């Protein structure tokens, strides 16, 4: 059943995340409507990947909560897809492109069951959408960076989700792949899907994204690109760290302090 | 050959026990080991193997006899404990996993040896044979051992079969597995339990010290031969089974030979053979391939020289002396002769007396190389703004490498340009 369109695709409330006690995201609050292509931008170490990883439940939260379609992640897991960074896996793994795309069907298959013929059909169809159908039986170790990214994208498509979180899908890909991906994202958004993308290249932000989240360990701004992606906000996002904030973070780690007082 | 016939008739129940036990054990630990290998946690098997020794001793102290069930339970407990300690050290301190494994392995093993010595000195008569766990006792397996092996092998096989897709996914992309809601923690727990189980059983045959070898080596060998995970698992278990069988056979024909170490020697030999001879990944294959590349480069370079000389004389089919070629491009005379002979065999040059000339096919092949060379130079100066005097060296390699598709693309992108950056004519085939 499709979620009601007026429910936000994503709500993040007072989210704080720490590594080794040092906070890398401070008190993030944001709401993302459905059907948008959303870019997360910010300098290195701003916590862009951390934000989507913590939304996907891959990192423990120090405080706050996230909701997808006004529900908790576990209740809507099948509607959410996550595309990790390409470099996060070892591409020398003994698997073919088809094997990887079929993993996109695993959430629907659940445990113990093996992919069926119909799942292969879906996987092949998704490979076609990213222009990789000719590579279905190719070993993944033989793929170029762009082809690896397309393979990951095809796997995400095979999940047939409503919200997609992508960690740097445009990093280190060729121009043709970049074009394929953005075209695909636009088609997805037109059919009501929400796509949230960690992005590095500021040049293409206004062109690619309807909505932008500007991050630098804290939320600078989140809103429609036209109003949000302004000179002042860019200045604030990239214009150096808040030194005091960073120092306090370091202090918390050094002194082994809990980030939040434990409530009894 | 009598011994071979006698061995493979399996008439002697003792042979039957040893062979079946060894094969079951090696094949099933190879299957579990494949996933340890793919998870890049090969060392963990070694840690567990060493850490079960104190558990075995503890089991003996508690039971007072060598009751296999109690010993296995004891081994299982300390095996698991070692993993928990490794993970705890890794998570809570700055010590990295490899160091943590090294620490845990030696501390647990040290305690185990200590307990073993105390037990041996205690004068308890039933302790004899406990040291079998150190080096294994494959040649002395009996019916009840075999039964335990069979049960464990079955458990390993069934669990891996049922959870194959899950284990493979976790080895490839754990974050993704977590993101689709798979119970990653529980699955890891199951896989680790399987490893502990394989180790606990395996050390009875090959001993603590050699256990890591039969867990990991079959997988490492299998990886050389295939890019399919299913094939890899099957191959690893086949390698394991073969080494188990061969080890048992060797100790049968030469009773002084211990079974366990021979199993390890055989599986190591398989790994070495794979390392050298496997197609694509093997060392020999790569050497041959490199040699082929070198030959191609040499061949094409000589053709190129003949072509360039032909360009200067406006006649490509003049018969030339070796020295003429050497003046253009340095070669040992003998090397050049062997290259030319190879080209003669391939039909790209002709020989009259000691003079050499291009054939029509040779000219075409040389022309393609020259064309790609000059196109690539032009590409570098046009698209990458590299100075014309810097592009030659790059083009020298690219000219031998480019596929016909890339060649066509290059021609198209440069609009079938007439001249290279040095104002030399770029030769196209149909002119």
């Amino acid at each position: 059943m499709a979620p009601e369109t007026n429910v936000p695709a994503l709500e993040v409330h007072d989210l704080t995340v720490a590594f080794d006690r040092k906070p890398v995201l401070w008190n993030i609050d944001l709401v993302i409507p459905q059907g948008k292509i959303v870019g997360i931008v910010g300098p290195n170490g701003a916590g862009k990947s951390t934000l989507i990883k913590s939304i996907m439940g891959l990192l423990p939260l120090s405080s706050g909560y996230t909701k997808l379609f006004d529900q908790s992640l576990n209740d809507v897991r099948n509607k959410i897809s996550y595309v990790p960074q390409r470099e996060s896996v070892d591409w020398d793994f003994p698997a073919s492109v088809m094997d990887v795309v079929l993993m996109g069907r695993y959430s629907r298959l659940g445990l113990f069951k093996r992919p069926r013929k119909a799942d292969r059909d879906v996987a092949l169809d998704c490979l076609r959408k990213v222009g990789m159908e000719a590579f279905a039986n190719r070993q993944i170790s033989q793929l170029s960076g762009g082809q690896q990214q397309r393979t990951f994208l095809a796997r995400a498509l095979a999940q047939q989700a409503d919200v997609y979180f992508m960690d740097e899908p445009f990093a280190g890909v060729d121009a043709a792949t970049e074009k394929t991906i953005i075209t695909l994202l636009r088609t997805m958004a037109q059919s009501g899907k929400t796509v949230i993308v960690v992005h590095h290249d500021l040049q293409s932000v206004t062109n690619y994204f309807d909505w932008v989240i500007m991050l630098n360990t804290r939320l600078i701004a989140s809103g429609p690109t036209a109003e949000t992606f302004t000179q002042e906000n860019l200045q604030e996002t990239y214009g150096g760290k808040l030194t005091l904030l960073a120092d306090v973070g370091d202090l918390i780690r050094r002194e082994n302090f809990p980030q939040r007082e434990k409530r009894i | 050959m009598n011994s071979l016939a006698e061995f493979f008739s399996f008439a002697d129940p003792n042979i039957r026990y040893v062979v079946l036990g060894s094969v079951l054990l090696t094949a099933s630990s190879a299957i579990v080991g494949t996933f340890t290998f793919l998870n890049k946690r090969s060392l963990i098997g070694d840690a567990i193997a060493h850490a079960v020794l104190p558990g075995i001793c503890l089991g003996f102290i508690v039971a007072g006899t060598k009751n296999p069930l109690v010993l296995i339970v004891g081994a299982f407990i300390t095996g698991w404990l070692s993993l928990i300690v490794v993970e705890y050290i890794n998570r809570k301190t700055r010590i990295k996993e490899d160091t943590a494994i090294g620490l845990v392995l030696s501390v647990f093993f040290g305690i185990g040896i200590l307990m073993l010595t105390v037990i041996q000195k205690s004068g308890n008569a039933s302790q004899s044979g406990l040291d079998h766990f150190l080096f294994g006792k494959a040649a002395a397996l009996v019916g009840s051992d075999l039964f335990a092996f069979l049960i464990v092998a079955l458990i390993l096989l069934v669990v891996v079969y049922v959870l194959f897709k899950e284990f493979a996914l976790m080895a490839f992309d754990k974050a993704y597995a977590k993101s689709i809601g798979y119970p990653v923690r529980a699955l890891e727990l199951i896989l680790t339990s399987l490893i502990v189980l394989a180790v606990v059983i395996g050390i009875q045959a090959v001993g603590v010290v050699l256990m890591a070898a039969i867990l990991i080596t079959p997988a490492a060998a299998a990886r050389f031969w295939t890019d399919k995970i299913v094939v890899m698992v099957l191959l690893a278990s086949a390698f394991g089974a073969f080494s188990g069988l061969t080890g048992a056979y060797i100790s049968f024909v030469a009773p002084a030979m211990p079974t366990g170490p021979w199993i390890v020697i055989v599986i190591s030999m398989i790994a070495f053979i794979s390392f050298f001879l496997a197609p694509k990944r093997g060392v020999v294959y790569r050497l041959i391939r490199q040699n082929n590349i070198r030959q191609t480069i040499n061949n094409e370079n000589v053709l190129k020289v003949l072509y360039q000389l032909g360009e200067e004389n406006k006649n490509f089919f003049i018969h030339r002396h070796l020295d003429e070629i050497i003046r253009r491009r340095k070669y040992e005379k003998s090397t050049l002769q062997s290259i030319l002979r190879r080209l003669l065999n391939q039909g790209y040059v002709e020989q009259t007396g000691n003079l050499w000339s291009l054939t029509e096919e040779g000219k075409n092949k040389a022309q393609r190389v020259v064309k790609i060379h000059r196109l690539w130079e032009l590409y570098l100066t046009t698209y990458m703004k590299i100075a014309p005097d810097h592009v030659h060296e790059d083009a020298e390699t690219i000219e031998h490498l480019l596929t016909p598709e890339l060649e066509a693309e290059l021609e198209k992108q440069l609009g079938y340009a007439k001249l290279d950056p040095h104002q030399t004519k770029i030769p196209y085939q149909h002119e």
Side-chain angles (χ1 to χ4, degrees):
Chain A
M1 192 186 74
E4 283 182 53
T5 44
N6 54 1
V7 174
L10 169 68
E11 184 194 349
V12 176
H13 181 85
D14 190 28
L15 180 85
T16 301
V17 183
F19 280 143
D20 193 16
R21 289 185 184 274
K22 179 182 171 173
V24 283
L25 283 176
W26 296 82
N27 309 75
I28 309 294
D29 276 301
L30 54 85
V31 175
I32 306 286
Q34 292 182 37
K36 300 274 185 252
I37 307 180
V38 182
I40 305 179
V41 297
N44 284 329
K48 306 186 289 293
S49 297
T50 306
L51 178 62
I52 64 172
K53 276 186 194 152
S54 40
I55 295 167
M56 288 312 299
L58 301 176
L59 297 172
L61 311 184
S62 300
S63 81
Y65 61 82
T66 65
K67 279 189 171 175
L68 294 140
F69 299 117
D70 209 23
Q71 281 167 296
S72 79
L73 175 65
N74 279 328
D75 298 329
V76 286
R77 197 71 83 165
N78 276 338
K79 294 181 187 145
I80 317 297
S81 170
Y82 169 61
V83 183
Q85 274 182 32
R86 185 162 57 81
E87 291 87 1
S88 68
V89 303
D90 176 9
W91 289 90
D92 198 26
F93 193 82
S96 68
V97 169
M98 182 48 114
D99 293 337
V100 174
V101 179
L102 277 175
M103 290 172 188
R105 305 299 297 165
Y106 285 10
S107 51
R108 267 156 210 276
L109 282 170
L111 296 169
F112 313 121
K113 289 198 202 71
R114 267 148 228 247
R116 304 149 300 178
K117 182 98 184 32
D119 297 307
R120 291 187 167 269
D121 294 346
V122 175
L124 207 59
D125 193 45
C126 295
L127 276 173
R128 205 168 292 127
K129 284 182 189 153
V130 298
M132 287 276 290
E133 70 270 36
F135 293 85
N137 295 316
R138 187 71 67 93
Q139 284 310 309
I140 56 170
S141 55
Q142 292 166 9
L143 299 179
S144 72
Q147 290 165 341
Q148 291 173 352
Q149 194 63 60
R150 288 172 192 225
T151 306
F152 260 10
L153 222 57
R155 176 174 77 174
L157 289 177
Q159 276 182 262
Q160 300 171 323
D162 292 322
V163 181
Y164 293 81
F165 291 96
M166 304 185 179
D167 205 340
E168 304 233 16
F170 297 109
V173 303
D174 51 290
T177 300
E178 179 147 357
K179 209 168 154 212
T180 312
I181 297 178
I182 192 65
T183 315
L184 190 69
L185 299 194
R186 284 184 182 137
T187 327
M188 288 159 75
Q190 265 157 28
S191 58
K193 315 274 186 193
T194 311
V195 191
I196 298 168
V197 176
V198 171
H199 196 60
H200 241 120
D201 177 26
L202 293 179
Q203 302 283 330
S204 46
V205 168
T206 35
N207 192 7
Y208 285 0
F209 302 114
D210 315 320
W211 194 280
V212 66
I213 297 172
M214 302 177 79
L215 210 61
N216 188 353
T217 64
R218 63 208 189 275
L219 184 71
I220 311 295
S222 164
T225 311
E227 297 138 43
T228 315
F229 198 64
T230 59
Q231 197 55 45
E232 297 102 279
N233 281 340
L234 270 170
Q235 196 77 44
E236 212 185 325
T237 310
Y238 287 87
K241 283 199 281 194
L242 292 184
T243 340
L244 181 66
L245 189 70
D247 286 348
V248 171
D250 280 332
L251 187 68
I252 291 177
R253 186 174 64 96
R254 219 169 38 238
E255 299 292 324
N256 252 334
F257 242 64
Q259 210 199 329
R260 286 277 191 277
E261 284 179 47
K262 280 228 165 75
R263 298 215 179 87
I264 306 157
Chain B
M1 281 289 101
N2 259 346
S3 64
L4 197 69
E6 190 190 339
F7 179 79
F8 282 104
S9 70
F10 300 121
D12 183 344
N14 194 30
I15 297 178
R16 226 164 29 222
Y17 293 148
V18 175
V19 169
L20 265 177
S22 306
V23 168
L24 275 178
L25 161 78
T26 45
S28 54
S29 23
I31 291 173
V32 182
T34 305
F35 289 100
T36 327
F37 175 83
L38 288 174
N39 278 309
K40 300 192 174 40
R41 303 197 72 203
S42 301
L43 274 177
I44 227 57
D46 208 18
I48 301 171
H50 284 79
V52 295
L53 189 61
I56 288 165
C57 296
L58 213 60
F60 177 79
I61 292 171
V62 170
T65 61
K66 292 202 302 296
N67 179 339
L69 195 67
V70 180
L71 297 193
I72 287 177
V73 170
F76 201 84
I77 291 172
T78 49
W80 248 113
L81 189 66
S82 71
L83 284 178
I84 294 169
V85 176
V86 167
E87 206 195 303
Y88 182 84
I89 294 176
N90 193 24
R91 204 152 35 90
K92 292 284 174 178
T93 70
R94 279 163 200 278
I95 294 170
K96 299 276 178 292
E97 191 179 38
D98 59 334
T99 318
I101 288 175
L103 281 173
V104 168
L105 181 152
S106 40
V107 169
F108 273 72
F109 191 56
I111 296 174
I113 294 285
L114 183 89
M115 292 168 80
L116 192 60
T117 319
V118 171
I119 292 170
Q120 280 172 336
K121 296 264 160 67
S122 70
N124 184 338
S126 62
Q127 61 84 20
S128 77
L130 208 54
D131 56 344
H132 275 154
F133 286 101
L134 272 184
F135 299 109
K137 51 151 190 174
L141 291 175
V142 293
S144 62
D145 292 328
L146 198 66
F147 187 68
F149 281 24
L150 199 65
I151 300 283
V152 170
L154 265 177
I155 294 174
L156 296 183
L157 279 177
V158 169
V159 176
V160 168
Y161 179 80
V162 171
L163 289 174
F164 194 90
K165 153 177 138 260
E166 289 73 15
F167 287 159
L169 174 63
M170 298 235 309
F172 176 63
D173 193 347
K174 203 188 286 176
Y176 182 78
K178 219 168 170 180
S179 84
I180 59 172
Y182 272 18
V184 168
R185 238 3 235 170
L187 287 167
E188 274 181 327
L189 215 70
I190 293 170
L191 183 59
T192 316
S193 299
L194 293 187
I195 300 168
V196 177
L197 209 55
V199 168
V200 168
I201 292 300
I203 56 163
Q204 302 186 50
V206 298
V208 165
V209 185
L210 297 178
M211 186 57 214
I214 65 165
L215 203 59
I216 298 304
T217 320
R223 184 67 186 94
F224 278 101
W225 299 91
T226 179
D227 279 323
K228 292 192 169 66
I229 186 165
V230 180
V231 180
M232 186 180 162
V233 169
L234 293 176
L235 211 53
S237 69
F239 287 164
F242 177 78
S243 66
L245 190 66
T246 322
Y249 176 68
I250 290 173
S251 69
F252 169 71
V253 283
M257 291 292 184
T259 311
W262 267 107
I263 293 177
V264 174
I265 289 174
V266 172
I267 191 63
S268 305
M269 261 154 57
I270 294 175
F272 271 116
I273 292 169
S274 309
F275 175 70
F276 282 109
L277 296 183
K280 293 202 183 136
R281 286 172 176 260
V283 172
V284 173
Y285 175 89
R286 285 200 220 170
L287 282 179
I288 292 172
R289 201 174 140 63
Q290 267 168 26
N291 192 40
N292 284 344
I293 290 173
R294 210 168 20 240
Q295 284 192 1
T296 307
I297 291 178
N298 275 334
N299 288 355
E300 293 186 351
N301 278 342
V302 169
L303 289 177
K304 195 171 67 175
V305 169
L306 287 169
Y307 182 88
Q308 286 165 341
L309 289 169
E311 271 184 329
E312 284 168 20
N313 303 103
K314 306 242 184 304
N315 179 358
F316 293 106
F317 304 107
I318 298 174
H319 292 66
R320 296 172 194 280
H321 194 262
L322 289 184
D323 293 334
E324 242 180 307
I325 299 173
I326 291 173
R327 227 173 295 140
R328 247 316 213 320
R329 194 178 187 105
K330 272 240 166 300
Y331 285 106
E332 291 288 331
K333 219 168 203 160
S334 58
T335 319
L336 182 58
Q337 244 154 1
S338 76
I339 296 171
L340 281 166
R341 263 198 301 278
R342 210 158 52 216
L343 286 167
L344 182 70
N345 281 334
Q346 293 172 352
Y348 291 123
V349 296
E350 282 170 350
Q351 185 181 22
T352 26
N354 55 1
L355 298 179
W356 299 83
S357 79
L358 288 171
T359 62
E360 186 65 36
E361 294 73 27
K363 185 215 150 203
N364 288 340
K365 195 173 167 67
Q367 187 174 351
R368 174 171 184 265
V369 174
V370 171
K371 177 188 73 182
I372 293 176
H373 181 105
R374 293 176 184 165
L375 280 171
W376 187 249
E377 288 188 334
L378 188 62
Y379 180 81
L380 290 182
T381 50
T382 319
Y383 284 90
M384 296 176 63
K385 310 280 178 237
I386 295 174
D389 57 332
H390 286 180
V391 293
H392 176 75
E393 292 300 323
D394 276 319
E396 280 289 290
T397 17
I398 300 300
E399 65 187 11
H400 307 295
L401 175 72
L402 237 49
T403 60
E405 297 84 56
L406 286 171
E407 176 190 347
E409 180 65 27
L410 191 60
E411 286 176 349
K412 208 176 88 195
Q413 284 205 16
L414 292 167
Y416 301 92
K418 293 259 184 302
L419 295 175
D420 78 0
H422 313 293
Q423 306 309 313
T424 323
K425 189 162 171 286
I426 298 175
Y428 292 95
Q429 217 68 270
H430 307 293
E431 287 177 8

